[in-house]
Amino acid sequence: MDKLALITRNTEEVVTKEELEALISSDKKPSAYAGYEPSGKIHMGHVLTVNKLLDLQQAGFKLTVLLADIHAYLNEKGTMDEVRKIADYNKRCFIALGLDEKNTNFVLGSSYQLEPGYMLDVLKLARSTTLNRAKRSMDEVSRNAEDPKVSQMIYPLMQALDIAHLGVDVAVGGIDQRKIHMLAREGLPELGYASPICIHTPILPGLDGKKMSSSKGNYISVDDAPEDIKKKMKGAFCVEGEVKDNPILSLLKYHIMPRYPEIVVKRPEKYGGDLHYNSYEALESDFAARQLHPMDLKAAAAEYMNEILEPVRKLMVEK
């Protein structure tokens, strides 16, 4: 797989692909970042962007992971002390998932976001950003979208400026970050900074086939016990032959297949024996044609997810 194909696989959108091609074709050492609010357990929705960082790492990018403690505080995810404790745990999870600690710069937001130059840039960007634009930018990621605080209007301005102050070429985030990233692309040049390339990953459906939410518990956490993952998989929404909004197929497409050259779906001989897949497309085709039963699919997904997450569980034991 060439660099461009590796970087763009399993993405929802790249803004813009032409700029990305020019970057990786240049002599410059490219750089990328993703930011994470330290606000609780890391689940497989978060890991979609970690997977993309792993692709960028393989493609030779210098990586920065922002542990956004101040952002989490502004978004009412806890006290500063609480979010900083979670930030350290999050960092260890990301390393266990495969990010190279030696080549990844883990940055705590509060280490630079309180500096006078950064705060002056926040005020400058505030002068050119309407209240409606700031609110729309936060609608997808705000804890209280119906009754937002002023702090949550500052949040997107800071996220845009993080890209500039971290000095990265590429911003990685879920498609729910798109409005904030577009604010960055339009607003940063007015302050004398470069417009970033933005890579957006899809939104992973919850295990019930609906939007993933921590409050609903419809997700797999990276430190779930093996038996919990098997139980969650067994009860997950997975209608025979239905591909749309199928959380098990999503786990295979975005988390399992990119990590393995081949996966094996184990079945008793009386049901046709084991199935071998070298591509997600072939697996999805068999499932849509009802040649692959949901229970066999769930069992295979649980086995591979447990294998992928074993390093994180070991980290928790060592803690």
Side-chain angles (χ1 to χ4, degrees):
M1 187 179 297
D2 66 27
K3 282 186 180 181
L4 185 64
L6 178 64
I7 295 167
T8 59
R9 71 173 176 175
N10 290 338
T11 57
E12 189 80 7
E13 176 188 49
V14 176
V15 185
T16 67
K17 194 173 180 180
E18 291 74 19
E19 292 171 13
L20 177 61
E21 287 183 274
L23 175 65
I24 61 177
S25 298
S26 71
D27 295 330
K28 182 180 181 180
K29 172 76 173 179
S31 59
Y33 107 108
Y36 301 90
E37 286 186 6
S39 58
K41 287 184 177 291
I42 298 292
H43 58 63
M44 300 316 293
H46 300 121
V47 181
L48 273 179
T49 52
V50 177
N51 289 345
K52 187 46 54 190
L53 291 178
L54 291 171
D55 287 341
L56 289 161
Q57 178 177 276
Q58 189 177 336
F61 276 64
K62 179 182 178 182
L63 300 182
T64 296
V65 171
L66 173 61
L67 302 167
D69 54 343
I70 292 184
H71 283 86
Y73 177 70
L74 292 175
N75 205 16
E76 301 189 311
K77 298 297 180 68
T79 66
M80 286 300 292
D81 285 341
E82 287 169 342
V83 296
R84 280 173 179 164
K85 287 177 183 177
I86 297 170
D88 182 64
Y89 159 73
N90 288 172
K91 173 183 174 180
R92 296 170 72 209
C93 285
F94 295 142
I95 293 168
L97 287 164
L99 288 180
D100 184 350
E101 188 174 8
K102 293 180 180 178
N103 294 308
T104 303
N105 187 25
F106 289 91
V107 179
L108 202 62
S110 56
S111 69
Y112 68 93
Q113 290 167 345
L114 300 176
E115 294 295 325
Y118 180 92
M119 292 311 302
L120 182 58
D121 275 348
V122 171
L123 297 177
K124 287 179 180 178
L125 189 56
R127 290 188 66 204
S128 62
T129 305
T130 66
L131 189 59
N132 283 338
R133 178 75 184 272
K135 185 178 182 302
R136 287 199 308 271
S137 297
M138 277 299 290
D139 282 345
E140 300 269 349
V141 296
S142 174
R143 169 148 285 189
N144 295 309
E146 298 303 315
D147 188 25
K149 303 290 192 299
V150 174
S151 65
Q152 291 165 307
M153 300 302 98
I154 298 170
Y155 185 116
L157 307 183
M158 289 178 60
Q159 187 170 335
L161 285 161
D162 288 335
I163 299 167
H165 281 256
L166 291 171
V168 296
D169 304 305
V170 176
V172 177
I175 192 65
D176 58 341
Q177 305 287 319
R178 187 183 197 279
K179 289 177 182 177
I180 296 177
H181 284 166
M182 295 307 102
L183 174 64
R185 280 182 61 85
E186 294 170 25
L188 289 181
E190 294 179 13
L191 274 64
Y193 298 111
S195 182
I197 298 164
C198 303
I199 296 177
H200 299 135
T201 58
I203 301 301
L204 197 71
L207 293 174
D208 55 1
K210 300 175 183 176
K211 184 177 180 179
M212 188 177 292
S213 168
S214 297
S215 61
K216 294 179 181 177
N218 59 352
Y219 61 88
I220 289 174
S221 170
V222 295
D223 59 0
D224 276 347
E227 56 271 20
D228 290 336
I229 288 180
K230 289 178 183 178
K231 184 178 179 181
K232 287 182 177 182
M233 288 290 198
K234 192 173 182 180
F237 175 79
C238 186
V239 178
E240 186 174 12
E242 288 193 17
V243 172
K244 187 179 179 182
D245 296 326
N246 186 317
I248 306 301
L249 286 176
S250 292
L251 287 170
L252 282 151
K253 180 177 182 179
Y254 297 116
H255 292 301
I256 297 171
M257 299 297 290
R259 291 174 180 259
Y260 296 90
E262 178 188 73
I263 71 158
V264 180
V265 177
K266 296 176 182 176
R267 301 189 306 179
E269 287 298 330
K270 64 179 179 178
Y271 295 124
D274 295 349
L275 293 170
H276 297 254
Y277 295 102
N278 296 309
S279 72
Y280 170 76
E281 290 73 21
L283 181 145
E284 183 188 280
S285 178
D286 274 6
F287 184 80
R290 303 195 175 195
Q291 295 174 11
L292 176 54
H293 194 273
M295 292 310 295
D296 294 322
L297 187 73
K298 289 179 178 184
E303 181 179 345
Y304 282 102
M305 285 308 305
N306 272 323
E307 191 172 305
I308 290 168
L309 297 178
E310 184 58 24
V312 183
R313 285 192 286 264
K314 284 182 178 178
L315 174 144
M316 295 306 295
V317 172
E318 294 167 2
K319 188 176 179 181

